[in-house]
Amino acid sequence: MKHLHSTLAIILLVALVISIVITAVNYFQAKPYNRKIALFGLMAGHIQLLVGLVLYFTSPLGLQSFSGENMSNSLARLYFLEHPLTMVLALILITVGYSKAKKAEDYAANRTVFFMYTIALILILTRIPWSTWSLLN
C-alpha cells in the first residue's frame, strides 16, 4: 500500500505541475480556461487522498502512533500529524480552486486555478517524506 501511495504521489505531482503550467500559459496569454486540465489535477489529488486515508488508518506510522511522546520525535510527528494535515489542506485548496473556477470567466478561472494549485503544490512539496521514497534511495 505504501508503494501505491508513493507512485500515486508522483502522478499527483506531475498532474499538478501540468495543470499549473497549462493554466499559467492560458492566464498570461489570456486564453480560454481548460477545465479538463484542472480536473486532471483534482482527480489525482482525490485518488491520492483515498489511498492516503486507508494507509493512515491501517499503518502503525499513522493514527495508531498518536501519543504525546511522539510529538518530540520529528519523523513520527511528520507521519501522524504534519503530513496528513498538510495534504488535506492542499487538497482543500485544489478542490476550492477547481470549484471557484467552474463559476468564473476564463481569465478569472485561469487565475484561480493557477494560484490555488500552486499554493497546494508548495504545501505538498514541504511535507513529503522525501527520505523514505524508494526512488530516491
Side-chain angles (χ1 to χ4, degrees), residues 7-90:
T7 303
L8 288 174
I10 294 168
I11 294 169
L12 173 61
L13 292 174
V14 169
L16 283 178
V17 169
I18 290 170
S19 298
I20 290 167
V21 168
I22 291 175
T23 305
V25 168
N26 291 347
Y27 171 62
F28 291 115
Q29 295 181 358
K31 291 184 177 180
Y33 171 62
N34 188 336
R35 184 180 292 177
K36 290 179 183 176
I37 293 299
L39 181 62
F40 182 52
L42 177 78
M43 289 180 359
H46 280 91
I47 292 169
Q48 178 70 346
L49 175 68
L50 290 174
V51 173
L53 287 174
V54 169
L55 193 57
Y56 183 72
F57 288 109
T58 60
S59 170
L61 295 174
L63 188 62
Q64 297 171 8
S65 69
F66 185 77
S67 71
E69 62 189 43
N70 279 342
M71 289 300 286
S72 61
N73 182 340
S74 63
L75 189 60
R77 187 177 59 242
L78 173 70
Y79 278 116
F80 82 85
L81 180 66
E82 295 172 358
H83 177 75
L85 182 62
T86 305
M87 298 308 157
V88 168
L89 289 174

